[in-house]
Amino acid sequence: MAVIKPRIRRHHIHVLIVICLLRRRRNEAAARHCAVAAAPRDDRIFFTRHDRGAYLAAAGRGDDGARTGGRSDEGDDDPDDASRRRPDVDDADDPTGGCRRVAEGGRPGGGPSSYDDPVTCTTYLAPSSIPNSGLGMYTAVPYKRGEGFPYPEIGIMLNDFSSKDKLIAEYPWRSSLLSLGKHEAFYGECIVPGLGMLANSHLGLWNVNHLDEYEFQRWRDGTDARSFTDATTTKDPGRGAQSHHTNVRFFIKDDVRAGEELFVSYGEEWFEAREDKLGIVPHDDHYVEADELLREFSLGHGRAAADDDPPDDGRVAEYEILLSDALEKDRRLRAALPDDVRDVPAAAEMGAARFSARDSIRSLDWLAENGACLDNIVVGTSTLPQAGRGAFATRSIGKGMRITTTPVLTLEREDLYLWEIVDERTEGEEVEGGTDDAGEEIFEDLVGHQLLLNYCYGHVNSSLLFYPYAPSVNFINHGGVRESNAEIRWSTYPYHKSDWLDSTLEEMKDRKRTGLMFDIIATRDLRRGEEILLYYGKDWEESWIRHVKGWMDPEGGLVDDTDDRPRFNMTDRLGLPTITDFNMVEKYPIVRTMEEQMEDPYPPHVMTVCCFDPPEDCVASTKTSHGRCRSRWKKTYKALLVFPCTIMSRQSIGGMDWYSALGGESEDKTHLVEYMPRTAVIFTDRPYTKDQYARGVFRHEVGLPDGMVPPHWMDLNDSRTLNGDS
Ligand SMILES: C[S@@+](CC[C@H](N)C(=O)[O-])C[C@H]1O[C@@H](n2cnc3c(N)ncnc32)[C@H](O)[C@@H]1O
């Protein structure tokens, strides 16, 4: 197949990898959720989705276009407020992240609780209050501004992913969400399940924010997995088989009430780019302005307006004028206003944004009736060797009860193929030919799969893959036949579209929305704190065993199976300083200049990035005598403001070191940054050097039980391992 490939300069990355790239009242109520269609089926389920600045970045506008904001101001944090019964993930010694406390609030005696425990369930999956937006996430407990959402997520990089017409392409966040994930690959986006995929977006009501700023200390749980993962080289067959971004954190932007839907911001541009599908979506400031107009209008008409039906002609006419003035000023402002004058009192009272999603604060009874509990599991350190992180029960769960429910995104295997440019066509190898932007012929080798494959579920004989994205569900590991304590099934939750199982393969591939769902069911009584383990299937297991047996560490040695400690950051096993070490200013107070690095180089995978603010226009006055823009370093280290840099010089002034560096997005957009403090210089791994980019790393989807995959979806003899996968 001839494919047109974007032309990438070889020196930039050398290798271009292209393409394919989430009060039960009683236990009885819970049981109902499991088995009965408690709510009407919504045939219009589909998920409006994220990509934030990804397309803008792809279009050469970098990440700056998306308003995905950083952590909001620090708010009051009252972690000891037991009445809220929320888990606290900063509890370092507790694999359930402090969720023990949740369970203690639950049933006396600690016996198996049911799936949707009314006392303790804090987070629900339920139909969104935004029309035609499918399902959403709700909290059953209040949060205060600035608090951390208690379920950290995984971030999975999609690198050089170019299947933009696929459903999956609606979901990624810009890779700066993962901070230095921004520099991991030539063009990276990231998939973040849980709040990152399941929560809908309302620009006037968004109440959850992801952390967009760099943190220079280790996370309190002892890992530094979010950004500075040092995921480079290890004597471990688990190398590169899991995402090293395991601590993607979300924070409460504004006080949230119990029962409120959790909204994130996909960014204004995301909605603008989808206007044909979603209509005119107001931004935050349009709702603020609409509130002002509604307040003034209401004042003019007193309270008489409220129940005045039909409304008097004068008021109708006046409101028509208000609407048409608003339209003339800004069609988004008009869209933020109610169409009917009779709705003005209610909209003025609750605010235009809330009026637009009136059901966004649900009763706890409604949630118990219509929701599915999402907080029965939380991430922790896996008990299994080489498995990275795992999912742990936050409360006891009885045999046969649902542990969690998750929507799944349908993909095709080929969406996750990795390609590499080769010099010429090699006989016998799977190579795609095409031309680049300049019309030059290029050849690409199919070299393996994206890391996302390891988080997808499927069958070796089917080209369909299913990616589950409820909170923490991606962390569930394989326990083998004997140790597994959970199993996967098509969901009995009423919003699972079971009729899709009769669809043909082609129909499944053509669908641009989600509808299928999995339930994860306890196959025996589970204690809180236990790791949830599935049986990934014979094929996965055999592949893994083969991989471990044949695996050689990067230095050529055989696998070290004497050390089975669970671990994430493995560079230390080579005795080299890690990226985290280098980022400890106390430990490494001085950054070596270019000249010093000639004598005393940093390890080859290490590079420096600097925090600075490039001016929009590089005007003459900001140019140096060498024609370069002069930039200023930034005190707030937003991911957006960090660029690769080369340290040119260091000067001590007043007992403090100041650095000058050349840096920028690309060679032709280089900036001179002078007088930066040490803290403005950050160490990170060079592009494509983290473990997940290594060759021969384990790539295999989780196996679905045979009976789950309809025979008419089995279109392959065997899909196993491509050239680069092990
Ligand atoms: C769905 S992910 C599970 C979460 C993963 N442990 C993590 O830290 O992100 C599947 C991957 O986890 C690892 N894994 C799961 N079970 C394992 C096991 N029993 N032994 C070794 N690795 C395992 C493999 O790398 C697999 O590809």
Side-chain angles (χ1 to χ4, degrees):
M1 179 177 68
V3 280
I4 307 300
K5 310 296 180 196
R7 186 176 174 76
I8 309 291
R9 271 173 298 175
R10 287 188 78 82
H11 71 266
H12 210 142
I13 47 171
H14 183 65
V15 174
L16 169 66
I17 303 173
V18 192
I19 294 193
C20 328
L21 317 258
L22 173 141
R23 191 168 72 182
R24 148 201 92 158
R25 268 168 292 172
R26 266 159 232 96
N27 281 349
E28 302 87 62
R32 269 207 309 278
H33 298 153
C34 300
V36 180
R41 189 179 197 95
D42 183 352
D43 285 330
R44 297 159 304 165
I45 288 184
F46 71 95
F47 291 85
T48 55
R49 276 305 141 201
H50 340 203
D51 84 31
R52 321 304 185 275
Y55 295 119
L56 297 164
R61 285 178 55 192
D63 282 338
D64 304 338
R67 198 197 79 186
T68 51
R71 181 181 179 171
S72 59
D73 297 339
E74 298 283 323
D76 296 332
D77 196 349
D78 184 6
D80 295 328
D81 185 350
S83 65
R84 274 184 262 146
R85 298 196 173 99
R86 267 183 294 96
D88 172 3
V89 289
D90 291 327
D91 190 333
D93 302 323
D94 184 352
T96 70
C99 287
R100 182 178 301 140
R101 266 173 257 150
V102 175
E104 282 165 2
R107 68 179 36 223
S113 78
S114 83
Y115 168 62
D116 289 335
D117 189 309
V119 182
T120 58
C121 187
T122 64
T123 315
Y124 283 96
L125 169 77
S128 176
S129 60
I130 300 181
N132 301 324
S133 293
L135 300 171
M137 270 176 78
Y138 290 82
T139 177
V141 289
Y143 288 102
K144 285 186 180 158
R145 180 174 126 153
E147 282 186 280
F149 185 69
Y151 301 95
E153 265 307 338
I154 195 154
I156 306 165
M157 292 285 287
L158 268 182
N159 298 303
D160 306 311
F161 183 71
S162 63
S163 297
K164 292 293 179 201
D165 56 327
K166 299 294 179 91
L167 182 59
I168 178 90
E170 293 287 301
Y171 289 79
W173 292 70
R174 65 185 183 220
S175 56
S176 54
L177 176 73
L178 300 173
S179 299
L180 297 177
K182 182 180 172 185
H183 304 294
E184 270 188 38
F186 173 71
Y187 175 58
E189 298 169 80
C190 68
I191 289 286
V192 181
L195 274 170
M197 283 181 82
L198 204 44
N200 281 315
S201 182
H202 190 299
L203 296 176
L205 294 175
W206 56 296
N207 43 23
V208 187
N209 224 343
H210 65 261
L211 184 69
D212 206 18
E213 296 176 6
Y214 289 142
E215 291 269 338
F216 293 103
Q217 333 79 329
R218 277 177 184 255
W219 288 98
R220 274 175 283 176
D221 68 356
T223 71
D224 50 8
R226 181 166 173 271
S227 307
F228 310 115
T229 52
D230 314 309
T232 320
T233 62
T234 166
K235 298 180 196 296
D236 189 313
R239 173 185 194 228
Q242 309 109 23
S243 172
H244 41 273
H245 296 286
T246 57
N247 206 356
V248 179
R249 304 292 303 271
F250 288 84
F251 288 83
I252 303 301
K253 176 179 163 278
D254 293 315
D255 287 1
V256 170
R257 283 186 263 175
E260 201 165 326
E261 182 165 356
L262 297 171
F263 293 119
V264 293
S265 170
Y266 300 168
E268 294 168 1
E269 296 82 1
W270 189 90
F271 287 98
E272 283 163 17
R274 290 159 179 79
E275 206 169 283
D276 54 336
K277 271 192 270 176
L278 304 176
I280 299 162
V281 177
H283 303 165
D284 206 357
D285 44 358
H286 296 118
Y287 286 113
V288 174
E289 198 175 344
D291 284 346
E292 187 60 28
L293 290 174
L294 291 172
R295 202 181 58 86
E296 279 170 16
F297 187 82
S298 299
L299 283 177
H301 292 278
R303 297 202 58 79
D307 307 311
D308 183 9
D309 196 7
D312 80 62
D313 291 347
R315 199 153 45 85
V316 172
E318 217 178 300
Y319 192 62
E320 289 288 325
I321 293 170
L322 184 152
L323 289 179
S324 102
D325 287 352
L327 181 62
E328 202 171 312
K329 186 172 181 198
D330 189 330
R331 58 203 180 105
R332 291 183 201 284
L333 173 60
R334 166 63 187 88
L337 291 159
D339 295 335
D340 193 322
V341 70
R342 283 169 294 193
D343 289 330
V344 168
E349 195 178 332
M350 68 176 78
R354 186 68 67 194
F355 183 78
S356 73
R358 268 155 286 189
D359 290 332
S360 55
I361 303 177
R362 309 275 194 179
S363 72
L364 298 187
D365 286 350
W366 185 91
L367 286 177
E369 286 293 337
N370 299 284
C373 190
L374 293 177
D375 70 354
N376 283 328
I377 49 173
V378 71
V379 58
T381 303
S382 177
T383 54
L384 303 169
Q386 289 131 7
R389 297 280 180 129
F392 293 81
T394 58
R395 49 180 73 94
S396 43
I397 300 166
K399 178 178 174 176
M401 306 306 287
R402 277 193 292 196
I403 297 169
T404 196
T405 291
T406 176
V408 296
L409 187 88
T410 310
L411 294 105
E412 286 178 65
R413 272 173 201 283
E414 62 177 37
D415 297 340
L416 300 181
Y417 284 172
L418 283 168
W419 300 84
E420 177 184 285
I421 288 187
V422 288
D423 286 336
E424 55 191 30
R425 186 182 286 275
T426 323
E427 197 94 12
E429 281 188 20
E430 273 185 85
V431 172
E432 278 201 351
T435 50
D436 62 14
D437 290 351
E440 275 177 39
E441 204 176 14
I442 51 170
F443 296 106
E444 291 185 340
D445 251 351
L446 186 52
V447 294
H449 286 98
Q450 295 270 0
L451 177 58
L452 190 65
L453 180 71
N454 289 5
Y455 295 86
C456 288
Y457 288 66
H459 192 283
V460 279
N461 298 126
S462 176
S463 56
L464 290 183
L465 291 171
F466 304 96
Y467 174 67
Y469 54 92
S472 310
V473 80
N474 276 212
F475 293 112
I476 303 181
N477 286 319
H478 166 77
V481 177
R482 270 187 297 172
E483 298 298 321
S484 64
N485 50 24
E487 67 183 21
I488 205 149
R489 298 184 194 161
W490 291 114
S491 184
T492 54
Y493 185 58
Y495 297 95
H496 160 64
K497 293 185 170 291
S498 55
D499 53 320
W500 284 21
L501 299 175
D502 298 327
S503 304
T504 65
L505 254 179
E506 289 318 310
E507 285 168 339
M508 287 302 295
K509 289 177 181 176
D510 285 349
R511 286 211 171 92
K512 291 287 187 299
R513 60 200 171 122
T514 58
L516 295 178
M517 301 178 78
F518 290 162
D519 280 343
I520 300 193
I521 309 285
T523 52
R524 64 166 169 78
D525 286 352
L526 295 169
R527 285 169 288 109
R528 68 173 180 248
E530 259 193 270
E531 181 166 2
I532 308 295
L533 297 168
L534 283 167
Y535 176 57
Y536 281 8
K538 188 163 166 276
D539 195 79
W540 185 96
E541 204 168 61
E542 286 174 1
S543 293
W544 174 249
I545 292 168
R546 246 190 339 266
H547 170 80
V548 174
K549 278 195 178 141
W551 193 84
M552 309 267 283
D553 80 38
E555 295 166 320
L558 286 173
V559 55
D560 173 6
D561 53 10
T562 55
D563 184 356
D564 59 1
R565 289 171 302 158
R567 52 197 171 258
F568 319 107
N569 298 328
M570 301 157 179
T571 316
D572 52 350
R573 303 187 64 211
L574 296 179
L576 292 171
T578 65
I579 294 291
T580 310
D581 290 330
F582 284 126
N583 280 316
M584 286 180 183
V585 175
E586 321 77 54
K587 204 165 167 182
Y588 288 90
I590 289 174
V591 182
R592 297 168 206 156
T593 64
M594 273 308 278
E595 214 176 314
E596 289 166 346
Q597 287 180 47
M598 306 256 216
E599 295 283 304
D600 188 8
Y602 288 117
H605 68 277
V606 172
M607 77 171 191
T608 43
V609 291
C610 296
C611 309
F612 61 88
D613 194 7
E616 288 249 314
D617 293 314
C618 191
V619 291
S621 59
T622 65
K623 283 197 174 170
T624 66
S625 55
H626 300 291
R628 291 188 172 106
C629 269
R630 207 183 283 275
S631 284
R632 296 177 68 83
W633 66 275
K634 279 297 248 187
K635 280 189 185 158
T636 49
Y637 302 135
K638 290 230 171 196
L640 298 179
L641 304 170
V642 182
F643 301 97
C645 61
T646 302
I647 308 299
M648 306 306 290
S649 64
R650 183 178 60 243
Q651 295 182 55
S652 182
I653 305 173
M656 189 169 152
D657 285 329
W658 296 93
Y659 294 87
S660 290
L662 282 175
E665 294 164 54
S666 59
E667 270 169 33
D668 46 340
K669 286 193 188 153
T670 312
H671 297 250
L672 176 67
V673 210
E674 292 170 307
Y675 303 112
M676 283 187 306
R678 163 69 183 86
T679 50
V681 183
I682 306 170
F683 290 86
T684 185
D685 292 311
R686 286 189 184 280
Y688 301 106
T689 59
K690 289 196 187 241
D691 280 351
Q692 79 164 80
Y693 306 100
R695 286 296 173 77
V697 292
F698 181 72
R699 293 284 143 92
H700 201 293
E701 77 280 1
V702 176
L704 283 173
D706 269 349
M708 262 184 88
V709 183
H712 51 280
W713 292 356
M714 305 281 200
D715 57 333
L716 305 176
N717 286 331
D718 191 339
S719 63
R720 262 164 300 199
T721 60
L722 296 169
N723 307 347
D725 293 344
S726 174

